[in-house]
Amino acid sequence: MTRETEEMLVRQAYEAQERAYAPYSHFMVGAALLAENDRIYRGCNIENAAYSVSNCAERTAFFKAISEGERDFTAIAIAGNREGNPGDYCPPCGVCRQMMTEFCGKDFIILMAKSRTEWKICTLGELLPESFSL
Ligand code: THU
């Protein structure tokens, strides 16, 4: 992936973060998922008064893409921070890692942004080794 693509995905994750609905945790997350055909699907976290109903930004992006027929993915950028606080790298939660494993191989790229100009890159295989699948 080129530096330009990384920058563009991170920028899209921050745009998605603006839509986050997080009145309970005030932790705002945005994600931008790049499909192999170069389409991008954005997602934000969507919380609920019944907390367990809440959905992470990453899964929102995946659910949008999968429900539109996408099956092949290259990378996801994630940006998250508590409202009013400076950002830090935002690793995907365990549930999202497992969800990614359903559709992505171990080389799927995960960009964890700290700001629009700083991010860490790793693979799904690094974040969820020995993962379970059928
Ligand atoms: N959250 C995400 O959207 N993605 C993650 O990978 C970690 C957590 C959301 C869920 C909840 O709305 C808020 O962040 C605090 O946990």
Side-chain angles (χ1 to χ4, degrees):
M1 208 165 46
T2 64
R3 172 89 191 169
E4 287 69 37
T5 305
E6 290 176 18
E7 263 169 15
M8 177 277 295
L9 262 192
V10 167
R11 192 170 58 245
Q12 296 254 5
Y14 278 105
E15 280 175 24
Q17 188 192 25
E18 289 171 20
R19 305 259 165 92
Y21 177 77
Y24 304 102
S25 73
H26 301 283
F27 194 83
M28 319 291 278
V29 188
L33 174 63
L34 178 64
E36 273 183 13
N37 59 14
D38 286 340
R39 290 201 183 112
I40 292 169
Y41 295 86
R42 305 199 307 198
C44 62
N45 56 333
I46 305 168
E47 296 187 346
N48 192 280
Y51 292 175
S52 64
V53 177
S54 302
N55 202 52
C56 289
E58 297 90 323
R59 278 177 290 137
T60 302
F62 267 96
F63 292 152
K64 284 173 67 180
I66 289 155
S67 60
E68 292 300 323
E70 299 294 354
R71 289 294 183 272
D72 302 308
F73 304 101
T74 307
I76 192 167
I78 308 161
N81 59 274
R82 197 173 293 273
E83 246 173 347
N85 282 36
D88 201 352
Y89 301 112
C90 186
C93 80
V95 170
C96 288
R97 293 178 199 197
Q98 178 63 28
M99 197 274 160
M100 291 172 193
T101 297
E102 185 70 25
F103 293 96
C104 308
K106 63 177 176 37
D107 295 329
F108 179 67
I109 296 166
I110 299 169
L111 295 118
M112 296 171 280
K114 185 176 186 175
S115 71
R116 282 173 174 72
T117 52
E118 289 172 284
W119 55 85
K120 277 202 289 207
I121 301 188
C122 58
T123 64
L124 182 57
E126 288 166 336
L127 286 190
L128 193 62
E130 306 291 342
S131 61
F132 178 78
S133 57
L134 293 175

